[in-house]
Amino acid sequence: MVQGIGNTRRLLIVALAFTAIMLNYVDRQIIALLKPMLQTEFGWSDRDYSHMASAFQFSAAVAFLGTGWFIDRIGLRRGFAIGVGAWSLAGMAHAFVGSVGGFVGVRAALGAAESIGTPAQVKTAATYFPPEQRSLMLGVGNMASNFGAVVAPLTIPALALALGWRAAFLIAGGLGLVWVVAWLLVTPRSSATPGEASAADGDRGASVPWSALLRDRRQWAVIAAKALSDQVWWFLLFFMPDLFHRMFGMSQGSLGVPIAMIYFLAALGSLSGGILPTYLLRRGVDVNRARKGSMLLYACLILPVPLVLLTGDPWVAAGLLGLGLFAHQGFSTNVFAMTADIFPSRMIGTAIGIGAFAGNLSGMGMIELAGWSLDNGHGYTPMLLICGGSYLVALLLIHLLVPRLVVAEPGVAKAAPVGH
């Protein structure tokens, strides 16, 4: 914890970090919410849209490999400000393009800049809070992405209908620039502490090469888990508004409420994903059974998602998709916690970075599949079927690769990194 910083300033820093991650998800979700309007105006095909979403995914995947280093190198105060400023400008730039190529370019810039959010959120907790409080702060950060996904559908469609789609991009991006000013005013110029120096610098010389991790079965378990679960999250994030518009005829102004409800359920899933295994561990259940048992529950809860194809009621569909994202967030929380359990602390960041890279690439593949499927008359059937079974396959691969999860550093409490 930074010496000389009072509780009020620390709470303001937490609030700002929470707001940044919330704005992160608002900015990335705008194009999905405005897809029907933009598709009508510019005559995009579904493949055009999928290419835009894939550009975001690919650039974020590549950038994710270096953003943690950037934050450590530049420092949290300046690094977080540069990242939020960059993604805000990239978001505002959407208002000034009108071609498919232009949207692909600004989506790629947005994806690269927004990848700084997760390492910055984790470093904020590590910098300003003692170890016994960091898990709570990281949990709050994990909720921020879901709140952003709730706020966006409640506000962006109405804003676009009232002021135009360009204003929606400009206002959301402008809020990020206001955030940058507030962050620089609130955070102290020097955020390094003996504790932070130990955490940030002490392991630097002991970094593990990728080649060593890629020979480790534990790393492949993380890769499999992230690739098979993240593809579902990214597909729904970019295509769920269109699904409600296409399958249920919902207008731009009416689809916000069911989507907000779905992401509210996802936020509850994040909480449950931490509470359930903690309860099991306190009851004496070992780590292997607590983690895998929790993931099995969530993998079963998402099985009904393909039933969306059989209902004509948008609220039933919202309930099924909400249950699915509840399960996704619970599963995902346990994947992060599993990584923190089975890897030594000096390897966790790199292991998660490799897993996140795989998750973003698989998300890009799912998005491209969606564009192909929609353009060729197959609708949402292939993707929803994949959503239903993906998590059981992920858990099976985890179990085959690591038959028994063993805590790498017994007695060392680790906070699970922020993720979706």
Side-chain angles (χ1 to χ4, degrees), residues 54-380:
S54 293
F56 178 97
Q57 289 299 114
F58 182 75
S59 64
V62 174
F64 205 101
L65 301 176
T67 48
W69 172 87
F70 176 78
I71 283 287
D72 286 337
R73 180 75 173 175
I74 301 298
L76 175 62
R77 182 174 182 268
R78 286 192 300 155
F80 208 173
I82 291 170
V84 176
W87 89 51
S88 298
L89 291 173
M92 296 173 75
H94 286 64
F96 302 102
V97 297
S99 66
V100 171
F103 274 99
V104 167
V106 292
R107 293 308 289 176
L110 182 67
E114 285 201 342
S115 66
I116 207 165
T118 294
Q121 180 76 15
V122 175
K123 194 171 180 70
T124 299
T127 301
Y128 294 107
F129 291 89
E132 64 272 14
Q133 296 180 11
R134 289 173 190 165
S135 291
L136 176 60
M137 293 304 105
L138 289 168
V140 169
N142 201 30
M143 293 281 289
S145 61
N146 299 126
F147 274 91
V150 169
V151 168
L154 292 177
T155 57
I156 295 301
L159 190 62
L161 289 171
L163 301 176
W165 64 267
R166 289 182 173 85
F169 283 110
L170 291 172
I171 292 171
L175 289 174
L177 298 180
V178 172
W179 182 95
V180 171
V181 175
W183 174 258
L184 293 175
L185 289 174
V186 169
T187 52
R189 290 186 177 275
S190 175
S191 60
T193 67
E196 183 192 0
S198 175
D201 302 327
D203 289 338
R204 192 172 292 169
S207 61
V208 179
W210 277 42
S211 58
L213 278 170
L214 293 177
R215 293 192 299 269
D216 192 323
R217 292 167 68 91
R218 296 172 300 177
Q219 179 64 71
W220 285 102
V222 175
I223 289 172
K226 291 295 288 176
L228 287 165
S229 60
D230 281 8
Q231 63 179 351
V232 176
W233 174 267
W234 291 117
F235 158 64
L236 290 175
L237 185 73
F238 284 113
F239 279 93
M240 196 154 47
D242 180 73
L243 184 151
F244 278 94
H245 174 71
R246 188 185 298 258
M247 291 183 63
F248 304 107
M250 299 190 75
S251 67
Q252 187 81 63
S254 63
L255 53 76
V257 175
I259 292 174
M261 184 192 83
I262 290 167
Y263 282 109
F264 176 75
L265 290 173
L268 296 181
S270 296
L271 285 178
S272 73
I275 292 170
L276 176 58
T278 300
Y279 170 79
L280 293 173
L281 291 168
R282 287 176 178 172
R283 299 276 294 185
V285 178
D286 62 51
V287 168
N288 184 66
R289 288 196 299 156
R291 293 283 178 228
K292 291 180 180 175
S294 298
M295 285 190 275
L296 177 61
L297 172 64
Y298 293 117
C300 290
L301 286 177
I302 205 168
L303 286 173
V305 162
L307 295 177
V308 168
L309 297 166
L310 304 179
T311 182
D313 188 330
W315 292 103
V316 172
L320 290 167
L321 292 170
L323 178 65
L325 284 191
F326 174 95
H328 167 85
Q329 287 292 70
F331 190 96
S332 183
T333 297
N334 277 277
V335 170
F336 280 118
M338 176 191 76
T339 309
D341 287 336
I342 64 178
F343 283 100
S345 57
R346 67 190 177 92
M347 301 168 69
I348 291 171
T350 305
I352 288 173
I354 294 172
F357 175 77
N360 274 270
L361 290 184
S362 69
M364 184 176 70
M366 187 76 147
I367 288 165
E368 287 293 325
L369 172 63
W372 172 86
S373 180
L374 293 171
D375 266 0
N376 286 276
H378 303 297
Y380 281 105

